Amino acid sequence: MSAQTAEVKPKRRIPLPSFGVQVVLGLFLGLLLGFVALQIGPVGDGEPNWLAVTLQTIGSTFVTLLRAIVPPLIVLAVISSIANLRNVTNAARLAWKTLLWFAITALIAVGIGVALGLGVRPGVNSAVDAATVAEPSSHGSWLAFIESIVPANFLGLAADTYAGDDGSLTTSLSFNALQLIVIAIVLGIAAVKVGKPAEPFIKFTESTLQVVLKALWWVIRLAPIGTVGLLGNAVYSYGWDTIGSLGKFTLTIYIGLALVLFVVYPILSFANGLSPAKYFSGVWPALQLGFVSRSSMGTMPVTQRVTEQNLGVPRYYSAFAVPFGATTKMDGCAAIYPAISAIFVAQFFNIDLSITDYLLIVFVSVIGSAATAGTTGAIVMLTLTLSTVGLPLEGVGLLLAVDPILDMGRTAVNVAGQALVPAIVAKREGILDLVRFNARRGPSGFVPVDEPGTLSAEEAAAEAATEDSEENAPEGERVTVGTASKS
């Protein structure tokens, strides 16, 4: 046979696992490498070994990439959402309903925390060493909320300077997410009020948002690799030996978190006509990333994507609800954790709490997350709770050893709630895309969309390949994927 007539068979490419499977594999690989790093142990003068350094670098780099895209996403998304809301008559109603459901879920969560604290009594006969007690360096304050919403500059930038052991000074810059939201709201309202002259600005903002969303998807595709580094570093840095004397407290916290995530949230979704199974499959990409990254703000871009693309919440609403929820909606950090922790501290120091004290714990847990929005963190929220109730702040030092382990579960619950509330509000207001909510998730873990700039060519090809099996299905069994409502 001549070379001209010879058939050239195309090389068969080995299909890669779906995005969801890649993330799960990353979880197991991270655990495995973390334990390997533990077995190798530190080198030299207690320095982490090469594997631990590699895992830490991979994980921190991934979170840094996510956090880098948060500021432009917040500003562009909020401005675009307000511009779109100019044609929506129930904009104020959506905002108030969002705040109401934030409070409802927080109230349920803190009730579970108080009940577990009184029932399990984790602070009684604790084996923790009281000599480790130390007053925390940072405190929550009710004035912090007012101070944090006033932008210090147009970019919401803050600078912190630290003195090193050698006397050198290091300055780091960070964005205040709540201030960015305030700035974006002001710009969005101003653009709407200006009217026709502001149309080029609005169009530029919307087109730039599409570019940022495309860059965001590229970062999200790195999640399996980031998961390996984040979880592996967590295993090496903290291990499970740190639970030790606080095992009962740690178990109580995780029971509370599990009750909220696997009982309360499914009941609320079902009560509002939403499938709990579809909710969990839709929120999974953000849930797993929140668990390993321990950062609601770092996970916020993924949370917003699953809220819009998987749960069917319109972009003009989710662009407001998700960033706002990422700073104030924390059922794990601001409800379950401070409630159980405050009762633990009271039991450890043999302090009897009255009904008024328990009501104060509930009040701070429901309202207090806003007061710590400018200085987010469960430890700051706990100091606010203890100081309000009048418990010793030294009790915070008891819990620092297991805080990283607790933070993984707390953040996962935070993220799950930040996606659920917009879905519930959108469903009750009749603006939720139920076709998209109930649609089959693609190999990437997301429902494909037909809007330009939000679906990569590789993902589209993978999705098309997986849909071949449905081509010959009866008409009534086919699933049509719709787009989010733009009303």
Side-chain angles (χ1 to χ4, degrees):
M1 184 178 292
S2 64
Q4 287 79 7
T5 59
E7 294 184 1
V8 179
K9 295 184 179 180
K11 295 181 180 180
R12 295 194 61 180
R13 298 178 62 183
I14 300 176
L16 293 176
S18 68
F19 182 77
V21 174
Q22 291 178 31
V23 171
V24 173
L25 292 175
L27 289 171
F28 285 106
L29 184 58
L31 286 172
L32 176 62
L33 293 179
F35 281 114
V36 170
L38 272 177
Q39 296 303 314
I40 296 176
V43 296
D45 297 329
E47 295 294 325
N49 57 66
W50 66 270
L51 180 56
V53 172
T54 302
L55 292 171
Q56 192 275 335
T57 303
I58 293 174
S60 62
T61 301
F62 177 64
V63 173
T64 299
L65 287 173
L66 276 176
R67 288 177 174 171
I69 210 165
V70 165
L73 180 64
I74 289 178
V75 174
L76 296 170
V78 172
I79 293 176
S80 297
S81 67
I82 292 176
N84 291 329
L85 284 174
R86 67 187 185 276
N87 299 320
V88 179
T89 57
N90 62 340
R93 179 183 175 88
L94 286 174
W96 284 112
K97 283 291 187 68
T98 303
L99 292 173
L100 176 62
W101 277 96
F102 280 178
I104 290 174
T105 54
L107 184 62
I108 296 173
V110 72
I112 292 175
V114 171
L116 285 173
L118 294 175
V120 180
R121 298 174 63 82
V124 176
N125 299 324
S126 173
V128 70
D129 184 6
T132 63
V133 174
E135 185 172 342
S137 58
S138 59
H139 301 259
S141 169
W142 289 101
L143 295 177
F145 175 63
I146 299 176
E147 295 174 352
S148 63
I149 65 175
V150 180
N153 51 72
F154 185 73
L155 297 176
L157 273 173
D160 295 310
T161 302
Y162 305 93
D165 296 334
D166 57 354
S168 62
L169 298 178
T170 303
T171 300
S172 61
L173 298 177
S174 61
F175 287 95
N176 186 307
L178 196 58
Q179 290 182 13
L180 284 177
I181 293 176
V182 172
I183 293 170
I185 290 175
V186 171
L187 291 176
I189 294 175
V192 171
K193 292 296 183 182
V194 168
K196 188 175 181 179
E199 286 299 322
F201 170 75
I202 294 175
K203 290 184 180 297
F204 170 78
T205 301
E206 291 174 346
S207 62
T208 307
L209 176 61
Q210 294 300 315
V211 175
V212 171
L213 289 174
K214 169 58 74 174
L216 166 63
W217 175 243
W218 292 341
V219 176
I220 292 174
R221 293 295 297 175
L222 299 175
I225 300 175
T227 299
V228 174
L230 289 165
L231 198 57
N233 180 62
V235 171
Y236 174 80
S237 300
Y238 311 109
W240 297 107
D241 292 337
T242 55
I243 296 177
S245 57
L246 291 171
K248 192 175 182 181
F249 170 75
T250 303
L251 179 62
T252 306
I253 292 289
Y254 267 93
I255 291 174
L257 295 174
L259 287 174
V260 172
L261 183 59
F262 298 115
V263 178
V264 175
Y265 287 171
I267 289 176
L268 290 177
S269 61
F270 181 79
N272 287 277
L274 301 175
S275 166
K278 288 294 184 181
Y279 160 70
F280 277 115
S281 66
V283 81
W284 162 248
L287 190 67
Q288 61 84 23
L289 180 58
F291 182 83
V292 297
S293 69
R294 297 167 48 205
S295 172
S296 291
M297 287 306 304
T299 311
M300 194 206 73
V302 184
T303 308
Q304 184 160 343
R305 177 161 181 154
V306 301
T307 303
E308 297 173 4
Q309 197 165 320
N310 288 356
L311 304 185
V313 178
R315 178 171 298 168
Y316 67 78
Y317 170 50
S318 68
F320 157 77
V322 175
F324 187 69
T327 57
T328 60
K329 171 63 181 166
M330 296 177 281
D331 288 342
C333 290
I336 288 288
Y337 177 73
I340 295 178
S341 299
I343 295 175
F344 171 89
V345 171
Q347 293 170 351
F348 181 84
F349 288 103
N350 295 316
I351 299 174
D352 293 327
L353 298 178
S354 64
I355 296 297
T356 302
D357 294 325
Y358 290 115
L359 291 177
L360 282 174
I361 292 175
V362 172
F363 174 79
V364 175
S365 298
V366 174
I367 306 298
S369 58
T372 60
T375 52
T376 49
I379 297 300
V380 177
M381 181 63 200
L382 178 56
T383 62
L384 178 65
T385 305
L386 296 182
S387 60
T388 302
V389 180
L391 294 172
L393 291 176
E394 290 82 1
V396 178
L398 297 171
L399 312 177
L400 290 178
V402 293
D403 188 71
I405 296 173
L406 301 178
D407 202 24
M408 293 188 289
R410 291 188 313 231
T411 306
V413 171
N414 293 345
V415 168
Q418 290 157 13
L420 176 64
V421 168
I424 290 177
V425 174
K427 173 62 167 59
R428 296 176 70 90
E429 293 299 307
I431 61 174
L432 186 71
D433 188 343
L434 288 174
V435 175
R436 180 166 293 282
F437 183 93
N438 293 308
R440 178 177 52 82
R441 288 34 169 147
S444 65
F446 295 89
V447 175
V449 296
D450 54 8
E451 296 180 4
T454 57
L455 188 64
S456 66
E458 294 81 6
E459 185 187 10
E463 181 63 23
T466 59
E467 289 178 352
D468 289 343
S469 60
E470 290 188 4
E471 290 298 324
N472 298 321
E475 185 68 27
E477 295 181 7
R478 297 183 186 177
V479 178
T480 302
V481 178
T483 57
S485 171
K486 300 294 182 183
S487 60

